[in-house]
Amino acid sequence: MRRLTRRGFLGMAAGSGAAVTVGAAGWSRLAGASTGRVLASAGPLPEPFGVPLPVPPVARPVRRERGADVADVYEVEQREGQLEILPGRRTTVWGYDGIFPGPTFAARSGRRTVLQVRNSLTVPTVTHLHGGVTPPDSDGYPTDLLLPARCSPGQMHEGHGGRTAVGYRSYEYPLPQRAATLWYHDHRMDFSAPQVWRGLAGFFFVGDEEEDRLPLPGGERDIPLMLCDRSFEEDGSFRYPAHGHDAFPDGVLGDVQLVNGAPWPVLEVTAARYRFRLLNASNARRYRLRLVADGGRRGRFVRIGSDGGLLAAPRSLGTVDMAPGERCDVVVDFAGFPLGSRITLGNAAAEGGMRDVMRFHVVRKGRDDSRIPARLAASFERLVPNRAMPARVFDFRRTDTGEGRQMWTINGRPFSTDTVLASPRLGSVERWRFSSDFHHPVHVHLAQFQVVARGGRAPDAGDDGWKDTVDVRPYEVVEVLARFAGYKGRYMLHCHNLEHEDMAMMANFQVV
């Protein structure tokens, strides 16, 4: 694997015709590009806009525990399922309850949610609640394995810095956090990328009274959109490289765009406002989303929420940038388009057929009592840096580890369960700086943070609000203020390009 230096990167970009300058305008062109390499499907691709948009079912609790610590208890089974993702062909998925995406869990802030997971697959799994303020034993540490139910109980052990269970594990989420769009997915050591690719992912919503009081679109006009790319074999099965770490070290890109598990779907809408909970669940693909109606007319998004919940105030945007793992809540008003209009949600960061994501078709008029208030979250607290804050640097890059081998590392080290790079105090706020030689979406477990600088300048339009994942571009420094609230224990930060994560681009921190 050839090491990518700054000079080599600039030369590569110039050779491809990109306008590379040291200024912000030059870097902005590079910011939208996806990383990784396309894995072409073996069979014919479906025609875009030929299937309706599915919406994942909302899970129902199997029971509610009473007493001093009220809890909603859910059961979910990781198992194979047969789905018609490509018209006329069947795809075997590894799904929560055998579906992809998995069921959506709708929880409440401060109300304990218990997720009882049974593993009926043939491989170990780990479930991580991405964005959750979660106790360490339920956080989904990559070596806290849940072995398949068919394994013998005698195989249960602790090893490699993790806790292992057989067949069944209970994850407890007290949820001491604001309303937000979270998601859950597999986080198994060295195998997150192929197991998420095969379907182990779903939405997890947290609601609270502050959000309930807002007149935002709700009900059938509050729709989650899981964006991801996949490739397929000729028979319709998922295609993923057998040795993805070696053949696709920069990340795997698919050539079929899926939204909620459907290829290039269509949603019929009323001429009214809709809330869309956008999630980039791709392994490596980035999105620069835009709305283009018939005749080339552009639509706009009103951004109302980020990874960690509602913004202080709404923000109107022509495009929305999303790196893997990021979420963005937006409102789109279709009342400004004539009946019969077709509006395409596109991806300006992609090429060819992947420049289309899905389509909206305005088919009816309807009453709309929703609105977007000028102030969204009265409780929103903006963090302010000061010199007393501890400052730490985390450098994400490809490093020569000796014997001609190169790996994705943090601060020059591949991941070890025994190494701790930081020990922040519970309840503290620290200044963390992320630097990079490539595109790396940095995800921090437990902590929520606010971006205060990007490349020595003000944050981008999509950086505002509370976040848990931030895109760090090539040769750029992103500075965040991270709050460590909730629990003491071992947590981690890592690159959310899943192939990079599986190639040891992770690190531990210990909240003390």
Side-chain angles (χ1 to χ4, degrees), residues 46-197:
E47 290 293 325
F49 318 131
V51 297
L53 174 77
V55 177
V58 177
R60 295 180 178 271
V62 294
R63 68 180 183 276
R64 285 186 166 89
E65 296 179 351
R66 306 295 179 182
D69 190 11
V70 178
D72 295 325
V73 181
Y74 296 86
E75 293 179 354
V76 65
E77 183 182 14
Q78 297 169 323
R79 66 173 186 260
E80 288 190 356
Q82 295 290 320
L83 303 179
E84 186 175 322
I85 296 176
L86 304 180
R89 287 176 276 176
R90 306 296 289 180
T91 301
T92 299
V93 304
W94 293 354
Y96 293 89
D97 284 345
I99 60 175
F100 171 59
T104 296
F105 296 94
R108 297 294 295 178
S109 173
R111 183 183 177 104
R112 188 165 63 99
T113 295
V114 179
L115 189 61
Q116 297 178 339
V117 180
R118 178 176 178 82
N119 181 4
S120 297
L121 296 170
T122 58
V123 298
T125 64
V126 176
T127 299
H128 169 56
L129 179 57
H130 184 125
V133 179
T134 304
D137 57 355
S138 290
D139 185 57
Y141 193 78
T143 55
D144 286 352
L145 300 178
L146 176 58
L147 301 182
R150 67 180 62 181
C151 291
S152 166
Q155 294 178 261
M156 185 172 177
H157 66 281
E158 291 198 20
H160 304 290
R163 296 171 289 271
T164 300
V166 176
Y168 168 91
R169 167 166 272 150
S170 183
Y171 295 89
E172 297 205 5
Y173 304 135
L175 303 176
Q177 58 192 108
R178 306 166 66 230
T181 300
L182 312 183
W183 65 303
Y184 62 99
H185 59 81
D186 191 75
H187 205 252
R188 177 189 169 196
M189 180 83 165
D190 300 333
F191 292 92
S192 293
Q195 295 191 183
V196 172
W197 186 275

Side-chain angles (χ1 to χ4, degrees), residues 161-431:
R163 296 171 289 271
T164 300
V166 176
Y168 168 91
R169 167 166 272 150
S170 183
Y171 295 89
E172 297 205 5
Y173 304 135
L175 303 176
Q177 58 192 108
R178 306 166 66 230
T181 300
L182 312 183
W183 65 303
Y184 62 99
H185 59 81
D186 191 75
H187 205 252
R188 177 189 169 196
M189 180 83 165
D190 300 333
F191 292 92
S192 293
Q195 295 191 183
V196 172
W197 186 275
R198 290 183 170 91
L200 288 173
F203 281 99
F204 192 107
F205 300 157
V206 180
D208 66 12
E209 292 182 358
E210 181 177 51
E211 184 182 60
D212 292 344
R213 288 191 293 266
L214 296 177
L216 297 171
E220 294 182 351
R221 297 179 190 167
D222 181 354
I223 301 176
L225 298 178
M226 178 187 284
L227 313 181
C228 62
D229 54 341
R230 296 292 186 266
S231 301
F232 294 85
E233 300 289 355
E234 191 167 2
D235 64 359
S237 59
F238 284 130
R239 188 176 204 196
Y240 188 84
H243 304 286
H245 298 175
D246 298 325
F248 291 76
D250 293 340
V252 181
L253 304 178
D255 60 0
V256 176
Q257 176 63 55
L258 301 181
V259 184
N260 293 350
W264 295 287
V266 175
L267 176 65
E268 293 185 347
V269 297
T270 302
R273 295 182 190 88
Y274 281 71
R275 176 179 182 173
F276 296 111
R277 299 171 184 258
L278 299 168
L279 159 65
N280 183 352
S282 299
N283 283 31
R285 183 174 295 279
R286 282 165 171 75
Y287 293 86
R288 175 160 288 173
L289 299 173
R290 61 184 181 182
L291 294 165
V292 182
D294 303 330
R297 177 186 170 188
R298 295 292 181 90
R300 295 190 69 81
F301 307 92
V302 178
R303 189 169 186 261
I304 61 169
S306 60
D307 301 338
L310 292 171
L311 307 180
R315 187 165 191 168
S316 178
L317 298 172
T319 59
V320 170
D321 288 351
M322 298 185 71
E326 287 189 299
R327 285 90 65 214
C328 180
D329 282 18
V330 300
V331 173
V332 176
D333 190 354
F334 294 105
F337 297 94
L339 286 182
S341 294
R342 289 175 169 81
I343 301 103
T344 300
L345 179 66
N347 180 14
E351 298 178 350
M354 296 301 288
R355 292 179 70 84
D356 291 330
V357 176
M358 66 173 292
R359 178 166 287 174
F360 304 102
H361 186 192
V362 184
V363 297
R364 68 185 78 87
K365 293 183 178 180
R367 182 177 177 180
D368 188 1
D369 295 328
S370 71
R371 61 183 178 86
I372 306 172
R375 188 172 188 183
L376 294 168
S379 65
F380 188 91
E381 177 189 2
R382 193 169 302 280
L383 301 180
V384 179
N386 63 65
R387 294 183 179 180
M389 289 178 177
R392 307 183 194 272
V393 174
F394 299 93
D395 185 52
F396 291 71
R397 71 181 55 244
R398 189 175 286 164
T399 301
D400 189 346
T401 60
E403 300 180 355
R405 188 183 181 197
Q406 295 189 343
M407 298 182 68
W408 293 112
T409 65
I410 301 177
N411 290 353
R413 300 179 180 183
F415 177 64
S416 167
T417 58
D418 300 324
T419 302
V420 175
L421 295 191
S423 297
R425 289 191 166 278
L426 181 65
S428 68
V429 176
E430 295 194 351
R431 185 197 304 252

